[in-house]
Amino acid sequence: MSGHTLQSRLKIAISIAEEAGQMIIQAREQQGFSQRLKKDNELVTDVDVAVDQLISQRLEEHFPGEARLSEELAPESALHVEAPRLWVVDPIDGTVNFAQGLRHVAVSIGWMEEGIAKVGVIHAPFLGETFSAAEGGGAFCNGQTIQPSSADSLAHTLVGTGFPYRKEERKHLLKRLGAVLNECQDIRRNGAAALDLCDVACGRLDAYYESVSPWDFVAGWVIAREAGARVGHLYEPPKSVPEDLYPEHLLVTAPGVYDAMAYLLLDADQG
């Protein structure tokens, strides 16, 4: 066992995320970054890569030899990482927002031990917010305790979601979207899954559903769970993948509407 407690890991991850955030702010001010499309029409900028390298370097300094899974490092092996201790990093969640000058942009750093997500930090540099949580310690935004909303009916549920880059994968989500628009208060699409999870954790959103990538959700999953939100999957994850790393069909809600949201979305899938 390394000499780090969960709280010391959390503290170091916060400082790394905030340093990365400064780098992101400077990059936008200088406006000198290049952009290209990865496969599936996903945008990446050279800032993503530079921030990823910075985070990687800092994690190696503090936690030498611990495995790292990052959007820019090894995405193809995402669900098959055999590591007792694993850092899961998204250097810039909301890359399109970043490139377009929008504010919903976040650095996401999560840590897992033996397949359980235990530490999460999400820093939103343009919003001036840092969300953080460690297993058993509650969840915070800028050091203040957060908790989910008391929503208890779909009619009063404000829902966050997002859509995949591949157009053909969007079609089957229209039924879910229609069901949510019919039954819930309304929908928001902010373009950064990590911040959607934080918004559920602190009660700005009442529910969130989406299929994403591991680095988009691991840190936010810890934060939402520690805040008291209910986290789960609409469909059973495969036995070969830790539940806290499986990014498909996520559902994260205020405790009072989880069952109703799950029923609504599964019913839409059958429709």
Side-chain angles (χ1 to χ4, degrees), residues 1-7 9 66-67 81-88 110-120 135 218 222 225 242-245:
M1 181 70 189
S2 74
H4 289 283
T5 64
L6 287 182
Q7 286 302 322
R9 286 178 178 277
E66 292 195 358
V81 183
E82 294 291 326
R85 297 192 185 91
L86 177 67
W87 291 94
V88 185
W111 182 73
M112 304 182 71
E113 186 174 41
E114 304 294 352
I116 307 293
K118 294 190 172 182
V119 171
E135 184 181 60
V218 168
V222 181
R225 184 160 60 195
E243 191 174 338
D244 286 2
L245 194 61

Side-chain angles (χ1 to χ4, degrees), residues 16-229:
I16 294 171
E18 291 181 345
E19 183 184 359
Q22 282 303 114
M23 193 174 180
I24 290 167
I25 288 171
Q26 285 165 2
R28 178 178 282 177
E29 285 168 354
Q30 290 157 6
Q31 282 293 322
F33 52 86
S34 65
Q35 307 178 25
R36 65 182 188 279
L37 290 178
K38 294 194 284 191
K39 65 176 178 47
D40 301 336
N41 293 326
E42 187 173 351
L43 182 72
V44 64
T45 71
D46 54 7
V47 184
D48 292 77
V49 178
V51 173
D52 201 41
Q53 286 168 344
L54 170 78
I55 294 170
S56 227
Q57 185 184 332
R58 293 287 180 263
L59 288 174
E60 184 60 29
E61 286 166 12
H62 290 283
F63 311 101
E66 292 195 358
R68 293 185 298 275
L69 170 65
S70 153
E71 175 161 19
E72 308 312 330
L73 273 180
E76 58 290 329
S77 60
L79 297 182
H80 308 287
V81 183
E82 294 291 326
R85 297 192 185 91
L86 177 67
W87 291 94
V88 185
V89 175
D90 195 342
I92 302 182
D93 185 40
T95 298
V96 172
N97 286 351
F98 169 71
Q100 295 280 136
L102 293 164
R103 293 162 64 82
H104 270 74
V105 172
V107 180
S108 178
I109 302 176
W111 182 73
M112 304 182 71
E113 186 174 41
E114 304 294 352
I116 307 293
K118 294 190 172 182
V119 171
V121 173
I122 292 173
H123 172 58
F126 302 112
L127 300 174
E129 291 184 330
T130 302
F131 293 87
S132 61
E135 184 181 60
F140 303 87
C141 177
N142 291 352
Q144 302 294 308
T145 307
I146 55 173
Q147 60 186 43
S149 79
S150 54
D152 59 3
S153 72
L154 290 183
H156 297 122
T157 297
L158 187 62
V159 182
T161 193
F163 306 104
Y165 289 98
R166 293 172 59 143
K167 298 277 198 297
E168 62 271 21
E169 288 177 9
R170 295 178 181 182
K171 291 183 185 126
H172 76 275
L173 295 176
L174 292 177
K175 287 177 182 170
R176 284 186 183 180
L177 193 60
V180 169
L181 288 170
N182 277 329
E183 299 295 331
C184 299
Q185 180 184 332
D186 204 349
I187 203 154
R188 295 289 179 269
R189 195 271 196 260
N190 292 323
L195 291 175
D196 287 341
L197 289 162
C198 292
D199 283 343
V200 175
C202 72
R204 295 171 185 163
L205 290 173
D206 306 303
Y208 162 79
Y209 71 92
E210 195 176 359
S211 291
V212 290
S213 296
W215 41 84
D216 297 316
F217 92 96
V218 168
W221 188 252
V222 181
I223 292 163
R225 184 160 60 195
E226 285 297 319

Side-chain angles (χ1 to χ4, degrees), residues 249-261:
H249 306 292
L250 303 175
L251 179 60
V252 178
T253 77
V257 293
Y258 186 93
D259 292 335
M261 276 300 300

Side-chain angles (χ1 to χ4, degrees), residues 172-173 175-176 209-211 221 231-239 241-243 246-251 258 261-271:
H172 76 275
L173 295 176
K175 287 177 182 170
R176 284 186 183 180
Y209 71 92
E210 195 176 359
S211 291
W221 188 252
V231 305
H233 297 83
L234 287 164
Y235 298 95
E236 194 74 26
K239 291 282 179 275
V241 181
E243 191 174 338
Y246 187 65
E248 302 283 329
H249 306 292
L250 303 175
L251 179 60
Y258 186 93
M261 276 300 300
Y263 181 83
L264 179 72
L265 295 168
L266 289 168
D267 193 50
D269 287 355
Q270 308 308 320

